[in-house]
Amino acid sequence: MTDLSTVEARVAEAVGVRLFTVLAWFPERRAMRRVYSNRPEQYPVGGEKTVEISAGWLRQCVEEQQPYLGADREAVRAVFADAELIESLGCGAVINVPVVDGGRTLGALNILDAEGEYDEASVAAAVELAPLAVPALRKVVDAR
């Protein structure tokens, strides 16, 4: 089983990353729980997002299982309530990639870097790597 630190390393190599977190999706509560973070001081494992999740982002990434590209600070601010903290870490661009297993959304990879670092090619590379997180997320989601 690929652990999430290995997924982070592969993403860093293929796409580049300053902030990397993995969220597990719990549909019965419409909540996402952070199960991995490379910045645990700012983004601790166990933190949950519910009401502050943007409805458009939730529909696109979780329900429609499509990646989200926020290429600049404005796009990050439009979707994330914690944009100020994100910017304080030097991040101004985000790629969110759903992690899907047999048609079921298990969660999402959250990949952030400096403004202007990501484009459609970055998204395609991240999408290719998302399946590496399936075993770890399946374990978390099925354990509830």
Side-chain angles (χ1 to χ4, degrees), residues 27-140:
E28 66 281 358
R29 292 186 290 122
R30 293 186 66 77
M32 301 205 76
R33 180 183 311 141
R34 194 174 306 107
V35 297
Y36 181 86
S37 175
N38 72 343
R39 300 273 188 136
E41 321 76 49
Q42 295 90 356
Y43 289 94
V45 168
E48 284 203 8
K49 293 183 175 198
T50 52
V51 294
E52 70 269 20
I53 299 175
S54 160
W57 180 92
L58 190 68
R59 183 176 49 260
Q60 180 176 334
C61 201
V62 173
E63 295 169 7
E64 297 174 0
Q65 300 175 336
Q66 296 299 311
Y68 172 80
L69 170 63
D72 56 32
R73 283 187 173 92
E74 186 176 319
V76 171
R77 288 180 190 141
V79 175
F80 297 100
D82 57 342
E84 194 172 298
L85 177 56
I86 289 169
E87 290 176 20
S88 77
L89 298 173
C91 298
V94 62
I95 299 171
N96 303 117
V97 180
V99 177
V100 180
D101 179 38
R104 175 175 70 147
T105 302
L106 298 177
L109 304 182
N110 304 302
I111 306 162
L112 295 94
D113 206 337
E115 185 171 34
E117 287 296 314
Y118 298 142
D119 57 17
E120 292 300 331
S122 308
V123 174
V127 167
E128 289 282 319
L129 295 171
L132 295 174
V134 165
L137 274 176
R138 188 187 304 135
K139 190 174 175 182
V140 170

